[in-house]
Amino acid sequence: MNLARFPFPLTADVYRYSTNVEPARVFTETATGGWGDRVIDVDEHYRPELALRSRILARDPSRCTVLPHMRPAAWDALILILHELVVSCPEHMELRRDGSRWHWKNGLLGVEQSFVFGDEASLPCDPLTFAGGQAQEDLVLLDQREGTLWADAGLVTFAADWSLNFVIGMPFLEIHGPVPRIREERVITRAEQFLLRLQAGADYRRTNWSMTVDRRLDTSTENSPEWARERRLAVAAGQQDRLHLRVEVQHLIRLAGSGAILFLIRTYLAPLTEVARIPQWRHRFGRVLAELPQDMAEYKGLVRYRELVAVMFD
């Protein structure tokens, strides 16, 4: 696997939950190269990941849910995502506007589509599903009302042990209720206050990380019987080569038209055997995992991996 653009998330030998929000589009250098100079990232997994998303949505259409009042925000999100794809991959992507009609061309997928903003009949599917068919990122739209944020729309096929169906229509603070320590340390309250003040057109990012077995993107609650079983089998058999570091790069963007906040979640997976070959990463990850408090390790599902990983990292 090419780790040159892998967003290794740990910047210190001790890890605690924090808002860790920083401006988007800033290149971050790593031991293998760097990442972060773009909002939408197109990489070598582009076609297979979008094919996987298509299969998941065909099996479970509820992975894309848009409450009626969020349809204008879904159109705003579509235009922004298509624009960012052009920024990321100008040699293969093109977006043109001719009056009320837009023209989209995706050379990597062989897609050409004309549409009228706001007219769902002009697209082959709803705008959020169309956007999710062009970009690898999962998409969540947050509405702002009553002094708080609400998760009222999304297309999520690559969730890390959560469910869009469960959180849809739920307030921001309630969604993050199960995460240990964040209420006592007011992490999530500060995060919401930051988002409520986010200005139109502003974009920021943060990272999150965990571990998983195999190159499995869909570790949603709906799919838990399958991935939880494989995790147990891999750990019981001591199969270190199946363990992966899972990193999410999350972008937070206030949409100018609707005022909704677009929450983009891009998931990257790297085999731990390859991460361990990078000395700087091996030392840091080993120290973080050894020091991580029990409650945080349990929430992230890391407790069962600790002994297996300890022999790989120092």
Side-chain angles (χ1 to χ4, degrees):
M1 177 182 176
N2 182 9
L3 294 178
R5 291 164 58 187
F6 185 74
F8 187 75
L10 302 174
T11 58
D13 292 344
V14 173
Y15 175 81
R16 294 293 185 272
Y17 289 118
S18 67
T19 54
N20 74 311
V21 174
E22 61 184 6
R25 308 176 197 275
V26 177
F27 183 77
T28 297
E29 188 174 348
T30 69
T32 59
W35 65 279
D37 56 342
R38 61 198 69 176
V39 170
I40 299 287
D41 187 26
V42 176
D43 64 10
E44 69 270 25
H45 304 293
Y46 181 71
R47 291 187 184 90
E49 288 187 6
L50 290 182
L52 172 61
R53 169 168 289 153
S54 179
R55 293 194 297 272
I56 292 171
L57 288 172
R59 185 171 65 245
D60 183 4
S62 70
R63 299 288 190 97
C64 180
T65 300
V66 181
L67 298 185
H69 67 282
M70 296 299 286
R71 295 203 175 277
W75 280 100
D76 287 345
L78 171 61
I79 297 300
L80 183 141
I81 287 165
L82 298 185
H83 271 302
E84 293 297 340
L85 279 164
V86 174
V87 172
S88 179
C89 206
E91 66 275 26
H92 297 293
M93 313 288 185
E94 181 183 338
L95 181 65
R96 294 182 291 108
R97 184 177 183 179
D98 182 11
S100 62
R101 184 166 290 275
W102 294 79
H103 305 274
W104 169 246
K105 181 177 180 180
N106 182 333
L108 291 177
L109 299 178
V111 171
E112 290 195 43
Q113 180 69 46
S114 294
F115 60 89
V116 176
F117 186 92
D119 179 8
E120 289 198 12
S122 64
L123 283 174
C125 54
D126 69 273
L128 214 58
T129 298
F130 189 82
Q134 308 300 306
Q136 291 158 270
E137 283 75 3
D138 278 329
L139 326 166
V140 177
L141 286 166
L142 303 174
D143 188 31
Q144 182 170 333
R145 63 182 187 275
E146 302 171 9
T148 192
L149 297 170
W150 304 77
D152 284 348
L155 185 153
V156 179
T157 55
F158 305 145
D161 200 10
W162 62 281
S163 167
L164 176 69
N165 285 320
F166 180 75
V167 306
I168 204 75
M170 190 177 289
F172 187 80
L173 293 178
E174 188 175 338
I175 291 170
H176 295 88
V179 183
R181 299 176 179 239
I182 61 170
R183 285 193 180 274
E184 298 89 334
E185 299 172 13
R186 297 184 57 81
V187 173
I188 196 61
T189 303
R190 292 196 302 272
E192 184 178 47
Q193 290 304 311
F194 174 83
L195 291 173
L196 289 171
R197 294 191 299 268
L198 203 61
Q199 297 298 304
D203 46 25
Y204 289 83
R205 72 180 185 215
R206 67 182 302 272
T207 58
N208 194 19
W209 64 277
S210 60
M211 285 171 53
T212 190
V213 167
D214 299 330
R215 186 175 170 78
R216 185 186 295 275
L217 287 167
D218 182 13
T219 56
S220 59
T221 306
E222 291 90 340
N223 201 32
S224 62
E226 182 178 347
W227 59 260
R229 175 181 178 275
E230 290 303 312
R231 181 176 62 185
R232 289 193 299 270
L233 292 174
V235 172
Q239 296 173 321
Q240 297 170 329
D241 59 325
R242 295 181 65 183
L243 301 183
H244 285 65
L245 177 59
R246 178 182 178 118
V247 178
E248 293 178 355
V249 176
Q250 305 170 352
H251 278 90
L252 310 158
I253 304 169
R254 174 78 74 175
L255 299 173
S258 61
I261 293 176
L262 174 61
F263 183 42
L264 294 170
I265 310 167
R266 176 62 190 281
T267 301
Y268 299 83
L269 295 166
L272 279 189
T273 51
E274 296 192 20
V275 173
R277 293 192 181 104
I278 313 300
Q280 182 178 329
W281 293 0
R282 182 176 69 249
H283 299 324
R284 174 143 293 164
F285 187 75
R287 291 166 184 163
V288 165
L289 199 60
E291 192 278 339
L292 199 66
Q294 186 75 3
D295 59 343
M296 293 179 64
E298 287 177 353
Y299 176 76
K300 282 182 170 290
L302 302 179
V303 171
R304 56 181 56 84
Y305 298 121
R306 268 180 158 159
E307 291 185 10
L308 193 58
V309 173
V311 299
M312 301 169 60
F313 294 83
D314 54 26

